[in-house]
Amino acid sequence: MATTRCAPDHRLLAADPDRHHELGTHAAWYVVAGVVTTGVQALLFLLLRDELGSQVANLVAIALTTVGNTEFHRRVTFAGRPSNAGKRHLQDFITFAFYAGYGSAVLALLDALVDRPTSWEETGTLLLASFVGGFVRFAVLRWWVFAHRAAAPAHSA
């Protein structure tokens, strides 16, 4: 049986202290933007719910907040990280589709479990769903859309 040895200056997992600091900064800005955006989304939902119905009000609120939120993350949260414009637009679309489908399913489930849910019950349910979905979105933004890319090695002739 072979034994794996590790030299004192060799790490099995490379640790970059700047990368960990960057994660903390990204997470902090993400939370700030998420709280503001979720608050605006909840307010829009409450304002539009009686006029448009729960499902449509949720879709309108998501549509109005998703693009602004993603743009904030591009300019502030992940500033300095290169990203492809096409990938950003695809990410906007995927985020909207995810939250639209997820929010609609959550509202339908609430409606199936609670006879005539109040606007506050629906809003609270959407806020909880948004909180859970936010973790997934942070991972997608950090490790896909604004992924840390190593510089390409220079070719010598």
Side-chain angles (χ1 to χ4, degrees), residues 78-89:
F78 300 102
R81 286 278 187 94
S83 67
N84 179 293
K87 189 187 283 187
R88 280 195 316 272
H89 295 305

Side-chain angles (χ1 to χ4, degrees), residues 61-107:
I62 290 169
L64 293 174
T65 57
T66 297
V67 173
N69 180 275
T70 303
E71 189 63 18
F72 176 87
H73 290 310
R74 184 182 75 77
R75 293 178 185 259
V76 177
T77 306
F78 300 102
R81 286 278 187 94
S83 67
N84 179 293
K87 189 187 283 187
R88 280 195 316 272
H89 295 305
L90 176 63
Q91 191 273 337
D92 272 347
F93 175 75
I94 290 171
T95 300
F96 172 76
F98 169 74
Y99 278 118
Y102 181 54
S104 294
V106 166
L107 285 173

Side-chain angles (χ1 to χ4, degrees), residues 26-43:
H26 289 170
W29 277 115
Y30 184 83
V31 168
V32 168
V35 167
V36 170
T37 302
T38 302
V40 170
Q41 188 175 334
L43 182 61

